[in-house]
Short mmCIF file of all heavy atoms in Angstrom, two decimals:
data_model
loop_
_atom_site.label_atom_id
_atom_site.label_comp_id
_atom_site.label_asym_id
_atom_site.label_seq_id
_atom_site.Cartn_x
_atom_site.Cartn_y
_atom_site.Cartn_z
N GLY Q 67 131.59 92.67 121.49
CA GLY Q 67 130.76 93.71 120.90
C GLY Q 67 131.52 94.38 119.74
O GLY Q 67 132.65 94.01 119.43
N HIS Q 68 130.86 95.38 119.14
CA HIS Q 68 131.45 96.02 117.96
C HIS Q 68 132.55 97.00 118.37
O HIS Q 68 132.37 97.79 119.30
CB HIS Q 68 130.35 96.75 117.17
CG HIS Q 68 129.37 95.83 116.53
ND1 HIS Q 68 129.54 95.32 115.26
CD2 HIS Q 68 128.21 95.30 117.00
CE1 HIS Q 68 128.52 94.53 114.98
NE2 HIS Q 68 127.70 94.50 116.01
N LEU Q 69 133.67 96.90 117.67
CA LEU Q 69 134.77 97.86 117.78
C LEU Q 69 135.21 98.15 119.23
O LEU Q 69 135.21 99.29 119.68
CB LEU Q 69 134.38 99.17 117.09
CG LEU Q 69 135.56 100.01 116.58
CD1 LEU Q 69 136.44 99.20 115.64
CD2 LEU Q 69 135.07 101.28 115.89
N PRO Q 70 135.60 97.09 119.96
CA PRO Q 70 136.16 97.37 121.29
C PRO Q 70 137.39 98.26 121.16
O PRO Q 70 138.10 98.19 120.15
CB PRO Q 70 136.52 95.98 121.81
CG PRO Q 70 136.43 95.04 120.68
CD PRO Q 70 135.65 95.69 119.60
N ARG Q 71 137.64 99.06 122.19
CA ARG Q 71 138.68 100.09 122.07
C ARG Q 71 140.04 99.48 121.73
O ARG Q 71 140.81 100.02 120.93
CB ARG Q 71 138.77 100.93 123.35
CG ARG Q 71 138.95 100.13 124.61
CD ARG Q 71 139.09 100.88 125.89
NE ARG Q 71 138.83 100.03 127.06
CZ ARG Q 71 139.45 98.88 127.30
NH1 ARG Q 71 140.33 98.43 126.46
NH2 ARG Q 71 139.15 98.17 128.39
N PHE Q 72 140.31 98.25 122.28
CA PHE Q 72 141.65 97.67 122.06
C PHE Q 72 141.80 97.17 120.61
O PHE Q 72 142.91 97.11 120.08
CB PHE Q 72 141.94 96.54 123.06
CG PHE Q 72 140.86 95.53 123.24
CD1 PHE Q 72 140.76 94.42 122.42
CD2 PHE Q 72 139.90 95.69 124.24
CE1 PHE Q 72 139.75 93.49 122.58
CE2 PHE Q 72 138.89 94.75 124.42
CZ PHE Q 72 138.81 93.65 123.58
N VAL Q 73 140.68 96.84 119.94
CA VAL Q 73 140.78 96.46 118.52
C VAL Q 73 140.97 97.72 117.68
O VAL Q 73 141.82 97.78 116.79
CB VAL Q 73 139.53 95.69 118.07
CG1 VAL Q 73 139.47 95.55 116.56
CG2 VAL Q 73 139.49 94.31 118.73
N LYS Q 74 140.23 98.76 118.01
CA LYS Q 74 140.31 100.01 117.24
C LYS Q 74 141.73 100.57 117.30
O LYS Q 74 142.34 100.90 116.26
CB LYS Q 74 139.32 101.04 117.81
CG LYS Q 74 139.26 102.33 117.01
CD LYS Q 74 138.18 103.26 117.53
CE LYS Q 74 138.13 104.56 116.75
NZ LYS Q 74 137.04 105.45 117.26
N SER Q 75 142.32 100.60 118.48
CA SER Q 75 143.67 101.19 118.58
C SER Q 75 144.70 100.30 117.88
O SER Q 75 145.62 100.81 117.22
CB SER Q 75 144.05 101.45 120.04
OG SER Q 75 143.75 100.34 120.83
N ALA Q 76 144.51 98.98 117.94
CA ALA Q 76 145.46 98.08 117.25
C ALA Q 76 145.40 98.30 115.74
O ALA Q 76 146.43 98.33 115.05
CB ALA Q 76 145.14 96.63 117.59
N LEU Q 77 144.19 98.50 115.21
CA LEU Q 77 144.03 98.71 113.77
C LEU Q 77 144.64 100.04 113.34
O LEU Q 77 145.34 100.12 112.33
CB LEU Q 77 142.55 98.64 113.39
CG LEU Q 77 141.94 97.25 113.39
CD1 LEU Q 77 140.42 97.31 113.24
CD2 LEU Q 77 142.55 96.40 112.27
N ILE Q 78 144.37 101.08 114.13
CA ILE Q 78 144.90 102.41 113.78
C ILE Q 78 146.43 102.38 113.80
O ILE Q 78 147.10 102.87 112.88
CB ILE Q 78 144.35 103.48 114.75
CG1 ILE Q 78 142.84 103.68 114.49
CG2 ILE Q 78 145.11 104.79 114.61
CD1 ILE Q 78 142.14 104.53 115.54
N GLU Q 79 146.97 101.71 114.80
CA GLU Q 79 148.44 101.64 114.93
C GLU Q 79 149.03 100.91 113.71
O GLU Q 79 149.98 101.39 113.08
CB GLU Q 79 148.81 100.90 116.23
CG GLU Q 79 150.29 100.91 116.54
CD GLU Q 79 150.61 100.11 117.82
OE1 GLU Q 79 149.69 99.90 118.64
OE2 GLU Q 79 151.77 99.67 117.96
N GLN Q 80 148.41 99.78 113.33
CA GLN Q 80 148.94 99.02 112.19
C GLN Q 80 148.77 99.81 110.90
O GLN Q 80 149.63 99.82 110.04
CB GLN Q 80 148.26 97.65 112.08
CG GLN Q 80 148.67 96.84 110.86
CD GLN Q 80 150.17 96.66 110.74
OE1 GLN Q 80 150.86 96.40 111.74
NE2 GLN Q 80 150.71 96.81 109.53
N LEU Q 81 147.63 100.50 110.80
CA LEU Q 81 147.33 101.24 109.56
C LEU Q 81 148.44 102.24 109.25
O LEU Q 81 148.81 102.44 108.09
CB LEU Q 81 145.99 101.97 109.75
CG LEU Q 81 145.10 102.19 108.54
CD1 LEU Q 81 144.98 100.93 107.70
CD2 LEU Q 81 143.72 102.66 108.99
N GLU Q 82 149.02 102.83 110.31
CA GLU Q 82 150.11 103.80 110.10
C GLU Q 82 151.31 103.14 109.40
O GLU Q 82 152.11 103.80 108.76
CB GLU Q 82 150.57 104.36 111.46
CG GLU Q 82 149.51 105.13 112.23
CD GLU Q 82 149.04 106.38 111.49
OE1 GLU Q 82 149.80 106.88 110.63
OE2 GLU Q 82 147.91 106.82 111.75
N ASN Q 83 151.40 101.79 109.56
CA ASN Q 83 152.57 101.10 108.99
C ASN Q 83 152.26 100.39 107.69
O ASN Q 83 153.10 99.68 107.14
CB ASN Q 83 153.11 100.08 110.01
CG ASN Q 83 153.65 100.79 111.24
OD1 ASN Q 83 154.29 101.83 111.13
ND2 ASN Q 83 153.34 100.24 112.42
N GLY Q 84 150.97 100.47 107.23
CA GLY Q 84 150.66 99.77 105.98
C GLY Q 84 149.69 98.62 106.21
O GLY Q 84 149.39 98.26 107.34
N THR Q 85 149.22 98.03 105.12
CA THR Q 85 148.13 97.04 105.23
C THR Q 85 148.56 95.63 104.88
O THR Q 85 148.07 94.68 105.46
CB THR Q 85 146.99 97.44 104.26
OG1 THR Q 85 147.57 97.53 102.95
CG2 THR Q 85 146.38 98.78 104.65
N SER Q 86 149.46 95.47 103.91
CA SER Q 86 149.78 94.12 103.47
C SER Q 86 151.12 94.12 102.74
O SER Q 86 151.38 95.01 101.93
CB SER Q 86 148.69 93.62 102.50
OG SER Q 86 149.04 92.33 102.04
N PHE Q 87 151.94 93.11 103.03
CA PHE Q 87 153.28 93.09 102.42
C PHE Q 87 153.57 91.80 101.67
O PHE Q 87 154.54 91.72 100.93
CB PHE Q 87 154.36 93.30 103.52
CG PHE Q 87 154.03 94.42 104.47
CD1 PHE Q 87 153.78 94.17 105.81
CD2 PHE Q 87 153.91 95.73 104.01
CE1 PHE Q 87 153.43 95.20 106.69
CE2 PHE Q 87 153.57 96.76 104.87
CZ PHE Q 87 153.33 96.50 106.22
N GLY Q 88 152.77 90.73 101.92
CA GLY Q 88 153.10 89.46 101.26
C GLY Q 88 154.43 88.93 101.75
O GLY Q 88 155.16 88.24 101.05
N ALA Q 89 154.73 89.27 102.97
CA ALA Q 89 155.99 88.84 103.60
C ALA Q 89 155.70 88.62 105.09
O ALA Q 89 154.71 89.10 105.62
CB ALA Q 89 157.04 89.94 103.41
N PRO Q 90 156.57 87.85 105.76
CA PRO Q 90 156.31 87.58 107.18
C PRO Q 90 156.31 88.86 108.00
O PRO Q 90 157.04 89.81 107.66
CB PRO Q 90 157.49 86.68 107.60
CG PRO Q 90 158.09 86.17 106.35
CD PRO Q 90 157.77 87.18 105.27
N THR Q 91 155.49 88.90 109.04
CA THR Q 91 155.49 90.05 109.95
C THR Q 91 155.51 89.56 111.39
O THR Q 91 155.12 88.40 111.66
CB THR Q 91 154.20 90.91 109.78
OG1 THR Q 91 153.08 90.10 110.18
CG2 THR Q 91 154.02 91.37 108.35
N ILE Q 92 155.87 90.43 112.31
CA ILE Q 92 155.96 90.00 113.71
C ILE Q 92 154.58 89.65 114.27
O ILE Q 92 154.43 88.70 115.04
CB ILE Q 92 156.67 91.08 114.56
CG1 ILE Q 92 156.92 90.55 115.98
CG2 ILE Q 92 155.88 92.38 114.60
CD1 ILE Q 92 157.90 91.42 116.78
#
Side-chain angles (χ1 to χ4, degrees):
H68 292 271
L69 206 56
R71 54 178 162 54
F72 47 87
V73 168
K74 185 175 178 179
S75 47
L77 286 170
I78 291 170
E79 187 183 339
Q80 175 54 42
L81 212 46
E82 298 297 338
N83 295 320
T85 56
S86 178
F87 314 115
T91 64
I92 187 167

